[in-house]
Amino acid sequence: MELLIKNGAVVDPVNGNKGDKTDISIKDGKIVNKVSSKATVLDAGGRLVMAGGVDAHSHIAGAKVNVGRMMRPEDSRSGISPRTKITRPCTGYTVPNVYAMGYRYAQMGYTTVFEAAQAIMKARHTHEELEEIPIIDKGALTLFGSNWPTMDFVREKDMDKLAAYVAWGLLASRGFGVKCVNPGGGEMWGFGKNVTGLDDVVPSFDVTPREIIVSLMKVNEMLKLPHSVHLHCNNLGNPGNYKTTLASMELADQVKASKNRQVMHVTHLLFNSWGGTNWGDFESKSDEIANFLNNHDNVTGDMGQMIFGSATTMTADGPKQYANAKLLHAKWSNGDVECEDASGVVPIYYVKQISVHAIMWAIGLELALLTKDPYKMLLTTDHPNGGPFVNYSEVIALLMSNKKRQEEIKTVHEAVHAKNKLPGLDRELDFSEIAIMTRAGTAKVLGLLDTKGHLGVGADADISIYDIKPDQIDPSVEHAKIKSAFSSAAYTIKGGNIVVKDGQITATPLGRTYWVDAKVPQQHHDEMMKDIVKKFKNYYSIQLANYMVQDEYVTHPQVIKAGSVPVEVN
Amino acid sequence: MLTVTLKPKKEIKISVEAENISADIFSGKTEKEIQSLVVWMGNQKTTIGELFSVKVEGSGPAADTKIVLEGDFSRVKRIGEGMTAGLILINGNVDMHLGAKMSGGKISVKGNVDSWAGREMKGGELIVEGNAAYYLGAGYRGESCGMRGGKITVMGNALDFVGEHMCGGEIIVKGNTGILPGLSNNGGKIVIGGNTSRPGSEMSKGTIIVNGKVDEMMPVFKLEGDEVVDGVTYKKYTGDVIGNGKGLLYIK
Amino acid sequence: MTVITDALCPFCGCLCDDLTIVVENNKITDIKNACKLGSAKIMGHHRIEAPMMRADKKSEFKEVSYEEAINEAAAILFKSKRPLLYGWASALCEVHKKGILLAEEVGAIIDNTATVCHAPSTLAVHEKGLPTATLGQIKNRSDVTVFWGSNPVHAHPRHMGRYSVFAKGFFQEKGRKGRKVIVVDVRKTETAAMADEFIQVQQGSDYLVISALRAILSGHADVVPESVGGVPKEQLAKLVDTLKAAKFGAVFFGMGLTQSISRYKNIDNAISLITELNAYTKYVITPMRGHYNVTGFGQVCSWETGFATAVDFARGAPYYNPGETAANDVLMRKETDAAMIIAGDAGAHFPADSVRQLARIPVIQIDPYWNPTTEVSNVVIPVAICGVEVAGTAYRMDGVSLQMRKMVEPTLPTDVEVLERITQRVRKLRGE
């Protein structure tokens, strides 16, 4: 199957293309140098062509997403559409069903999305849902930040065993990378408590969040994993937390990267860049965070942009979610996972005229505008915590147009003038910078830049075409057109197949699931397993033999080899 | 004035979903256009004309539209959904979700209404001469607000969960109600002429007045003493104390 | 002889995964670690041997081929204006997926057996969420375990040993001795007999008692009368103190709470109590789910349709409103004009009015076993036993998913095969 996209205004920062008319040749799902005369020709008509969107942090599948659906039928009843000849029925806005999840990403021109958190013990569930999400390629990050084996090996300072555990945990969960949420806090929440900073000691395990973060970064690099440690900082959602965030980011200097990428990705920074001491003196400290990123090359972040309206917060940060529910008088689900982590789900409604919400909204945009290098600040809404991913086009339009921002600022609580820098920021991102924040940067941060996030030869033929002619539009003024175009792709091509045309789904192939198979020396593995066997015998409620996700649950795997021993080449 | 009279052509056994029976939708339409409006019977897509005889007299905007439903509508759901103006007269019984989300106009029922009548109602008036089933003026599952405005009057009795999650408006039930009227209320007023049980649980705002007997009282209300409302002396309670609720419960 | 270790039990929501099964000549000859209920289920009984049909409910069944039975099933569903697909609790998640697709294709209501046990819990979760934990968390930590309207000794025999009472864990090395066990029920059950405290509540008064506990907990004991639901205020106050004194408390509730007066509002209220206790210490609450994979149906249905159960596909898009779209809602109104009952026994567990409606309409049964539903069926399609003859996914009562093993080779088609063939046939009838 060959396809030739002609006459596209290609924005491909990795390959230095800033909108030149370039033909793209596709064969067998990959981008190639040229195709034969038999290739189907798709005339882009001078419209914007980018690599398929890549999302490095979104809650799309697994236990807590489904808890969100179960507790929010009022959300599921919005966004309902019946089945068609091609598509299954869709429901939901903040917690869409699996079909809507795949279709809506594809309709925006996104082709690869990573679920941000799965506990190993519940990974089978994550994969059951991933298997049902159509079109997009996907993967899931695995939680390691409060796991008992992690804390034991950190306390024992046994990095070989910790590396072996991480490698085994990724295999057991068919996971893609190391997620660390409120390290130590998940265990503390087991008795309804929390850690308050990097140096609190987790009782019974005698380790601190600082030690957990540094150790996980070390073994992440020992294992040469494609992605770095993916950190949800301690104290998320608390006024004054920017200090904890800065102190956490400083830990990156203690570890050397094994690859050409960061050693720490700090996620949904909107929720971690807060000054003040309470909700009264709450203010933005996005400048401090951006300043840190501007002066360090080993840390990246993503926005976690907030969208006004309905959202569903869901995270492994169990104590934060209880606090949220209490603050908001909202319904609350909690989901502790034995020996591993916590989690919670709480609905929220972000209101323009609530000062804290307005300040938060501005913080997200400031992070993107104050961080000079877009490779260091990815576009996310931490779906559905900041808001549903279907609003990415709104965020893109805001980042590309100061005019739109000023118009919005007029409609939100006046606190943004005193507590935020946003009103005075006139930076407007261009198409290349947007392509980095949504494609090249996310792919690089994930360690997938060889095949994702660009349109060079050898890349996956994941392509989006938007109904904009970059040389004929002024995004600063015509922001409504930008928003409209990015919300509904003219074409989305996934693996060489046209899956979306004029915003409508035309085909629903099943994408692949990325996971990382990391090897460690056999002896380290065997030593580590002795501890694991004991834990299952005494503390888990299931048998070790039933723990690991079986192959049947990942029918289209894309396995990336890694490890601390030489990687076998297939 | 537009007057549209509908009458079932034959007995309806499988519920019909007929949110298209509404003054807003009928106004400005010809008899033929009204006949071709879609309704669903089970999984069969059909039309108003297939199921009902349609008589149209005059013409007019929604506010000047009267819909008369003759015969048995006890298996026709969602009549008057989202209505903003006009009048619907129902001469018999009617099925679930009557006047759901309506924001204006008036619906008057000679017979009984099934569950969720006036669900999430925002305005307008709903008058039921017979009885109401469950969830009168309540919300949809999971929502934090049911009825927000308007007025519902039931001359007969109502079953459980009257005005659940009510955030505004007024519900009057002249007869008795089932358990837990005014559950999780956050505003609005419920007046019960007869008996009830367990009123006002989890109320944070709003008013419930019970003129009959309360079979079982929730152990979450503080007795404030006697108070005269509209010339009648009631025992006045506040609660639900658990959430420091500011709800008012008056019991004769 | 084959020995299968770490096998899963296809009986109750405990989904015990430590069974040892001995198989000789494709027959199970020994089961270790299972409770009596589990063993009986695995050994099976009253298998239906071949597909059967009959023209009306009074005639005798006649054996037919699978093709004939499947074609007839498809014809019934295709013709129906208000079909119901009900059951699912004793089937694997792989079966649920096929069932939901079939429901979409024929515009059916799909509902599961939770409708007669724990669906009220789901309604409560819509109101309040569900603060819960995996069972191992409870085994490792709980020092107060409460069974409210649930009787594990009788219904979940290994629950207390594996997870909640006798089990030893990291912070609970002493097992039973380290835990205070409280039972709240309307009668002194077997579980109550071995509890440290038993609180007897008058039938139908759970809601009031929970509210009274919440009032006391929130510092408003002054408004609570001297006795609520038959429980003296003093005893309620003591219970609140005991609950607060826990380091980690776990509440398990059963049908005593979901099926008594106020139904889901009891659970709603209990969830609020648990949420409020978290202001003092750690508490979690877990429904004692009955069938081994009734939880799984709720999971699959939620991710596929956005709603946990009772989904109406009549108009092509999912619509959910128990009270309107649950199996008994449509059966009692005599709206259902055809039903498929699969992996659940409506004939035995539905109210009489619903069963009478089933007796009036064409009914398809898909099940390994002969049961009361068979008596009201027109088409009966026997299948292999999920979790014994078919491997696949099931969800434990706490939402942990596990893969069930195949113990012996099936001799009959699986549910998945039968549902796929019915779906294909429906498409053919539609002219696709």
Side-chain angles (χ1 to χ4, degrees):
Chain A
M1 163 81 183
E2 292 182 318
L3 183 66
L4 178 64
I5 301 172
K6 286 186 82 75
N7 203 22
V10 176
V11 173
D12 181 14
V14 173
N15 297 295
N17 204 337
K18 289 190 168 177
D20 300 337
K21 299 271 166 23
T22 312
D23 291 351
I24 299 172
S25 302
I26 297 162
K27 191 179 176 187
D28 298 334
K30 291 277 181 187
I31 294 174
V32 294
N33 265 320
K34 60 176 185 180
V35 282
S36 73
S37 56
K38 284 184 226 148
T40 309
V41 176
L42 197 166
D43 187 350
R47 289 181 289 184
L48 174 65
V49 177
M50 288 183 177
V54 179
D55 195 337
H57 187 108
S58 180
H59 298 276
I60 56 168
K64 63 193 173 328
V65 181
N66 226 25
V67 165
R69 296 182 187 111
M70 283 186 200
M71 72 192 278
R72 299 208 66 189
E74 79 279 13
D75 184 83
S76 292
R77 77 164 166 164
S78 59
I80 284 188
S81 58
R83 70 194 302 263
T84 69
K85 284 214 164 83
I86 297 166
T87 57
R88 303 282 299 264
C90 295
T91 56
Y93 173 60
T94 71
V95 279
N97 64 338
V98 283
Y99 309 114
M101 212 68 95
Y103 303 148
R104 290 179 192 168
Y105 261 114
Q107 283 166 322
M108 293 198 310
Y110 269 67
T111 47
T112 307
V113 182
F114 280 79
E115 159 58 42
Q118 59 171 351
I120 305 173
M121 190 171 177
K122 293 209 167 170
R124 192 173 290 97
H125 179 164
T126 309
H127 287 286
E128 279 214 277
E129 290 194 28
L130 289 178
E131 286 285 299
E132 298 279 312
I133 296 179
I135 302 176
I136 56 174
D137 284 344
K138 59 258 163 175
L141 305 177
T142 303
L143 291 161
F144 286 100
S146 277
N147 302 40
W148 290 3
T150 298
M151 292 190 293
D152 282 345
F153 301 145
V154 169
R155 183 186 61 249
E156 292 160 11
K157 298 191 171 30
D158 193 333
M159 293 302 108
D160 289 338
K161 273 201 208 167
L162 182 59
Y165 174 62
V166 167
W168 179 76
L170 289 175
L171 172 69
S173 62
R174 298 297 195 269
F176 179 76
V178 176
K179 179 78 184 293
C180 181
V181 172
N182 183 22
E187 165 54 29
M188 296 284 281
W189 182 239
F191 283 118
K193 298 185 168 59
N194 198 2
V195 287
T196 61
L198 287 175
D199 296 309
D200 281 10
V201 175
V202 182
S204 306
F205 292 91
D206 197 22
V207 293
T208 63
R210 178 189 302 278
E211 292 163 347
I212 295 170
I213 296 168
V214 172
S215 303
L216 285 173
M217 282 194 297
K218 278 183 188 162
V219 303
N220 195 91
E221 300 314 311
M222 280 167 69
L223 292 169
K224 303 186 185 72
L225 301 180
H227 186 35
S228 69
V229 161
H230 193 112
L231 179 67
H232 160 134
C233 290
N234 300 107
N235 276 331
L236 176 138
N238 297 333
N241 65 13
Y242 79 102
K243 287 181 186 161
T244 308
T245 309
L246 287 173
S248 302
M249 296 199 294
E250 273 164 19
L251 300 176
D253 281 341
Q254 298 186 25
V255 180
K256 196 171 166 298
S258 63
K259 309 193 143 197
N260 178 26
R261 54 144 172 75
Q262 75 289 350
V263 291
M264 175 193 283
H265 178 79
V266 188
T267 191
H268 40 66
L269 273 163
L270 182 152
F271 298 95
N272 296 78
S273 308
W274 296 1
T277 56
N278 58 52
W279 299 117
D281 62 6
F282 177 71
E283 61 174 344
S284 169
K285 286 289 179 185
S286 58
D287 50 345
E288 300 263 359
I289 302 297
N291 188 41
F292 180 97
L293 292 170
N294 289 338
N295 289 296
H296 291 78
D297 289 328
N298 51 3
V299 182
T300 56
D302 64 79
M303 297 166 70
Q305 180 57 33
M306 199 193 90
I307 304 294
F308 292 111
S310 183
T312 302
T313 65
M314 52 176 68
T315 166
D317 197 338
K320 172 48 33 188
Q321 290 298 64
Y322 172 68
N324 270 340
K326 225 175 145 181
L327 185 73
L328 301 165
H329 299 287
K331 44 188 170 184
W332 169 54
S333 287
N334 178 70
D336 295 359
V337 181
E338 64 206 59
C339 315
E340 294 184 8
D341 219 316
S343 87
V345 185
V346 178
I348 191 169
Y349 197 92
Y350 296 118
V351 181
K352 286 185 174 185
Q353 284 306 320
I354 291 179
S355 63
V356 169
H357 294 174
I359 296 165
M360 284 169 65
W361 169 82
I363 289 174
L365 298 171
E366 287 166 358
L367 286 164
L369 296 168
L370 291 170
T371 304
K372 287 176 190 157
D373 179 358
Y375 276 100
K376 291 181 183 172
M377 187 56 65
L378 311 178
L379 193 157
T380 66
T381 59
D382 186 16
H383 165 88
N385 285 283
F389 64 81
V390 290
N391 296 289
Y392 284 179
S393 58
E394 165 76 6
V395 184
I396 291 170
L398 284 165
L399 295 177
M400 295 188 85
S401 169
N402 185 30
K403 184 165 177 281
K404 179 175 168 73
R405 292 199 296 269
Q406 297 304 333
E407 286 167 9
E408 277 295 307
I409 285 169
K410 283 183 201 144
T411 71
V412 307
H413 193 280
E414 61 185 12
V416 294
H417 293 283
K419 305 298 183 81
N420 289 93
K421 306 279 186 302
L422 187 69
L425 297 178
D426 58 4
R427 184 177 171 194
E428 292 181 331
L429 302 189
D430 62 21
F431 285 115
S432 288
E433 288 168 317
I434 293 297
I436 291 167
M437 292 180 72
T438 57
R439 277 106 172 136
T442 36
K444 181 164 187 261
V445 163
L446 287 164
L448 293 174
L449 200 52
D450 52 343
T451 55
K452 299 285 186 191
H454 71 101
L455 296 169
V457 170
D460 289 347
D462 298 348
I463 299 162
S464 33
I465 303 177
Y466 295 108
D467 195 8
I468 310 170
K469 293 177 180 167
D471 53 354
Q472 292 175 22
I473 191 168
D474 179 356
S476 178
V477 179
E478 296 168 272
H479 54 76
K481 274 191 191 165
I482 294 288
K483 180 176 171 179
S484 154
F486 277 105
S487 69
S488 176
Y491 285 94
T492 304
I493 294 156
K494 170 68 182 53
N497 300 308
I498 295 171
V499 292
V500 172
K501 185 169 184 257
D502 299 329
Q504 300 301 310
I505 301 292
T506 54
T508 63
L510 186 64
R512 295 166 295 170
T513 299
Y514 281 75
W515 67 274
V516 173
D517 185 11
K519 291 273 180 289
V520 295
Q522 189 64 36
Q523 184 200 343
H524 299 170
H525 173 79
D526 294 345
E527 285 296 313
M528 179 275 298
M529 283 310 290
K530 284 182 195 163
D531 290 55
I532 298 295
V533 167
K534 265 189 226 155
K535 289 224 160 44
F536 273 86
K537 188 160 174 284
N538 297 316
Y539 308 132
Y540 271 96
S541 65
I542 64 172
Q543 302 294 106
L544 178 55
N546 293 320
Y547 185 66
M548 192 169 286
V549 173
Q550 293 84 353
D551 286 336
E552 293 93 309
Y553 295 93
V554 190
T555 58
H556 294 62
Q558 180 72 36
V559 186
I560 295 185
K561 302 267 186 188
S564 57
V565 294
V567 176
E568 299 159 40
V569 179
N570 299 351
Chain B
M1 182 175 193
L2 170 68
T3 304
V4 183
T5 308
L6 302 186
K7 197 174 173 183
K9 287 180 172 172
K10 52 183 178 183
E11 191 193 352
I12 296 170
K13 289 180 177 167
I14 293 173
S15 291
V16 170
E17 293 196 7
E19 66 273 25
N20 276 337
I21 301 181
S22 149
D24 297 79
I25 291 169
F26 281 9
S27 82
K29 289 199 171 61
T30 64
E31 188 170 298
K32 210 161 194 180
E33 284 167 338
I34 291 171
Q35 282 172 338
S36 61
L37 285 169
V38 168
V39 292
W40 287 77
M41 178 187 270
N43 57 21
Q44 308 289 306
K45 195 177 186 174
T46 177
T47 61
I48 284 181
E50 279 291 313
L51 300 178
F52 307 98
S53 67
V54 180
K55 195 172 92 190
V56 175
E57 293 160 285
S59 70
D64 208 15
T65 293
K66 180 165 89 174
I67 301 172
V68 182
L69 306 181
E70 299 281 1
D72 185 7
F73 279 75
S74 63
R75 286 293 161 88
V76 185
K77 292 175 178 169
R78 297 173 64 174
I79 292 168
E81 182 171 300
M83 197 165 97
T84 67
L87 173 66
I88 301 180
L89 296 174
I90 302 170
N91 280 320
N93 301 333
V94 68
D95 206 350
M96 295 174 184
H97 306 293
L98 176 70
K101 290 195 163 183
M102 73 185 277
S103 57
K106 184 172 165 183
I107 301 178
S108 182
V109 187
K110 287 258 185 259
N112 304 325
V113 296
D114 211 319
S115 302
W116 287 285
R119 164 174 61 77
E120 300 173 276
M121 191 168 159
K122 293 176 204 141
E125 195 176 2
L126 183 56
I127 299 168
V128 181
E129 292 187 26
N131 301 321
Y134 299 94
Y135 295 105
L136 178 70
Y140 179 70
R141 303 201 175 280
E143 291 284 3
S144 51
C145 268
M147 186 173 177
R148 292 168 190 267
K151 185 174 177 184
I152 301 176
T153 308
V154 175
M155 310 304 280
N157 303 321
L159 296 176
D160 303 348
F161 315 130
V162 168
E164 187 188 30
H165 286 297
M166 193 172 174
C167 291
E170 188 176 4
I171 301 177
I172 298 165
V173 179
K174 303 259 182 188
N176 305 324
T177 80
I179 58 165
L180 294 166
L183 177 58
S184 301
N185 274 19
N186 196 27
K189 184 175 172 187
I190 298 173
V191 181
I192 299 167
N195 306 330
T196 188
S197 190
R198 305 183 183 181
S201 183
E202 299 193 341
M203 266 181 107
S204 57
K205 269 192 249 167
T207 304
I208 302 174
I209 299 172
V210 185
N211 288 303
K213 195 166 81 49
V214 172
D215 289 341
E216 284 180 312
M217 185 68 188
M218 290 301 303
V220 294
F221 279 93
K222 187 164 177 252
L223 179 60
E224 304 281 0
D226 288 351
E227 192 172 308
V228 179
V229 182
D230 297 333
V232 182
T233 306
Y234 293 92
K235 280 200 174 71
K236 179 189 177 185
Y237 296 86
T238 55
D240 174 333
V241 297
I242 296 166
N244 292 318
K246 306 279 179 286
L248 300 175
L249 175 59
Y250 294 94
I251 299 174
K252 202 157 144 184
Chain C
M1 191 181 86
T2 322
V3 178
I4 304 163
T5 55
D6 305 312
L8 278 78
C9 176
F11 183 70
C12 81
C14 286
L15 202 63
C16 298
D17 71 330
D18 61 342
L19 275 51
T20 298
I21 309 286
V22 180
V23 179
E24 287 173 85
N25 300 322
N26 207 37
K27 283 226 157 57
I28 297 168
T29 55
D30 194 19
I31 303 169
K32 290 192 176 70
N33 295 342
C35 67
K36 275 185 192 164
L37 301 171
S39 293
K41 173 80 196 280
I42 294 165
M43 286 309 204
H45 59 101
H46 296 82
R47 288 292 291 268
I48 304 166
E49 281 160 12
M52 312 179 290
M53 277 167 41
R54 56 182 173 180
D56 62 77
K57 312 262 176 172
K58 285 175 192 148
S59 323
E60 290 290 306
F61 280 112
K62 256 175 45 190
E63 264 190 36
V64 295
S65 69
Y66 272 93
E67 192 178 0
E68 238 178 304
I70 283 166
N71 289 353
E72 178 62 15
I76 289 170
L77 293 175
F78 177 70
K79 246 191 346 217
S80 169
K81 289 180 182 162
R82 202 73 176 121
L84 168 68
L85 312 185
Y86 170 84
W88 311 105
S90 293
L92 299 161
C93 295
E94 289 76 3
V95 181
H96 303 158
K97 291 174 199 168
K98 298 292 175 196
I100 290 163
L101 178 62
L102 179 59
E104 278 177 39
E105 301 253 357
V106 299
I109 283 178
I110 187 161
D111 195 9
N112 75 326
T113 62
T115 199
V116 285
C117 59
H118 269 286
S121 316
T122 306
L123 299 184
V125 170
H126 301 335
E127 299 287 328
K128 299 287 171 62
L130 188 71
T132 189
T134 64
L135 293 167
Q137 182 82 330
I138 293 159
K139 150 176 135 156
N140 284 319
R141 296 179 202 260
S142 90
D143 53 351
V144 169
T145 299
V146 181
F147 296 101
W148 196 310
S150 67
N151 184 10
V153 171
H154 178 74
H156 299 84
R158 297 186 71 207
H159 192 278
M160 292 191 292
R162 277 173 65 77
Y163 312 122
S164 54
V165 175
F166 301 104
K168 291 178 182 170
F170 187 79
F171 298 99
Q172 272 303 349
E173 293 167 354
K174 288 189 253 167
R176 175 70 181 90
K177 281 186 200 145
R179 303 183 213 262
K180 184 158 242 171
V181 179
I182 300 166
V183 170
V184 187
D185 217 316
V186 293
R187 63 188 178 87
K188 190 153 188 179
T189 60
E190 298 95 319
T191 309
M194 49 140 302
D196 299 304
E197 267 180 55
F198 169 55
I199 290 159
Q200 190 156 12
V201 174
Q202 270 169 12
Q203 186 86 41
S205 296
D206 299 280
Y207 190 87
L208 299 169
V209 170
I210 296 165
S211 288
L213 292 171
R214 290 178 63 196
I216 294 167
L217 181 69
S218 65
H220 295 96
D222 55 320
V223 308
V224 176
E226 282 315 303
S227 171
V228 178
V231 188
K233 183 176 175 180
E234 201 181 324
Q235 197 180 6
L236 292 170
K238 204 178 126 228
L239 177 59
V240 169
D241 288 341
T242 307
L243 293 173
K244 275 167 76 176
K247 281 194 182 128
F248 183 110
V251 176
F252 296 96
F253 64 94
M255 284 167 62
L257 210 50
T258 64
Q259 299 295 329
S260 64
I261 299 169
S262 296
R263 287 167 56 102
Y264 76 93
K265 298 302 182 189
N266 294 332
I267 316 303
D268 176 320
N269 212 2
I271 292 170
S272 290
L273 172 64
I274 295 311
T275 301
E276 286 151 11
L277 277 165
N278 273 277
Y280 302 89
T281 180
K282 185 67 182 285
Y283 262 84
V284 296
I285 182 164
T286 303
M288 292 287 252
R289 304 301 299 263
H291 293 285
Y292 74 92
N293 198 28
V294 68
T295 307
F297 183 84
Q299 296 282 353
V300 176
C301 200
S302 292
W303 77 58
E304 305 235 328
T305 75
F307 305 105
T309 184
V311 179
D312 182 359
F313 283 106
R315 294 172 68 164
Y319 173 69
Y320 167 81
N321 192 27
E324 180 181 11
T325 62
N328 285 299
D329 301 329
V330 273
L331 279 168
M332 298 224 247
R333 287 167 65 114
K334 301 179 190 165
E335 287 195 34
T336 309
D337 60 355
M340 185 180 95
I341 315 287
I342 172 167
D345 188 0
H349 301 298
F350 274 8
D353 280 351
S354 294
V355 178
R356 271 196 282 275
Q357 178 64 6
L358 287 173
R360 286 182 205 112
I361 60 173
V363 173
I364 305 146
Q365 182 189 30
I366 302 176
D367 209 293
Y369 304 111
W370 194 293
N371 61 34
T373 297
T374 319
E375 309 296 334
V376 294
S377 298
N378 302 67
V379 182
V380 177
I381 306 177
V383 285
I385 307 168
C386 288
V388 176
E389 298 171 336
V390 192
T393 319
Y395 282 72
R396 201 166 69 176
M397 62 168 69
D398 58 350
V400 171
S401 77
L402 294 165
Q403 190 184 43
M404 304 193 77
R405 284 146 205 268
K406 185 199 277 189
M407 301 172 187
V408 292
E409 286 301 323
T411 53
L412 301 175
T414 64
D415 297 272
V416 165
E417 288 164 32
V418 169
L419 289 174
E420 277 177 345
R421 286 176 65 184
I422 293 174
T423 306
Q424 281 159 14
R425 182 71 189 173
V426 165
R427 286 175 183 166
K428 207 168 169 192
L429 291 170
R430 218 172 27 223
E432 283 173 22

